[in-house]
Amino acid sequence: MLIGKRVMNMSKPRGEPNLVEWARLLLIHKKKLLRILDPRMEGQYSTRTAREVACMAYQCLSYNPRERPVMALVVEILETFQTQEESQEDALSSESEGVAV
């Protein structure tokens, strides 16, 4: 979701890293993450939210299955992020309506 790439890309040369391995290396680096985000998401979410979602995605990619969050928790966290973003948009919209142009 963050990167906008297919998980499986059969046109890639054999032996080239798959999306999971490639993403695992980049999700925890703030500057690198901002370079790989799907440009179609621009303006929809704050940079902070994207970083937090990336951190959660990194946890989901843990080599140790016991360290991965359960899906119910992942859904709950994503819904919280979405609600926060919508609340911020509503607040900004309300502020701009009160400003005379």
Side-chain angles (χ1 to χ4, degrees):
M1 288 178 8
L2 287 171
I3 299 169
K5 294 187 182 281
R6 293 176 181 254
V7 175
M8 300 295 290
N9 186 348
M10 302 311 263
S11 65
K12 293 177 97 175
R14 189 179 180 134
E16 193 170 303
N18 64 32
L19 180 62
V20 171
E21 292 301 321
W22 177 79
R24 183 181 282 126
L25 301 172
L26 302 172
L27 288 172
I28 56 173
H29 298 284
K30 292 178 184 179
K31 290 181 181 179
K32 290 180 182 178
L33 172 66
L34 295 177
R35 287 187 290 192
I36 64 167
L37 286 177
D38 187 343
R40 294 173 291 185
M41 290 180 52
E42 187 175 335
Q44 294 182 35
Y45 298 97
S46 70
T47 308
R48 181 177 160 254
T49 298
R51 286 185 190 138
E52 290 174 353
V53 171
C55 181
M56 184 187 55
Y58 183 78
Q59 291 172 354
C60 291
L61 298 175
S62 174
Y63 288 113
N64 182 349
R66 292 183 178 151
E67 292 177 4
R68 297 180 199 146
V70 295
M71 285 308 297
L73 179 61
V74 172
V75 170
E76 182 180 326
I77 291 170
L78 290 175
E79 287 174 343
T80 301
F81 289 142
Q82 184 174 7
T83 302
Q84 288 173 354
E85 288 293 323
E86 289 171 354
S87 296
Q88 289 176 356
E89 285 178 18
D90 290 344
L92 289 173
S93 180
S94 295
E95 286 176 13
S96 65
E97 289 174 3
V99 176
V101 179

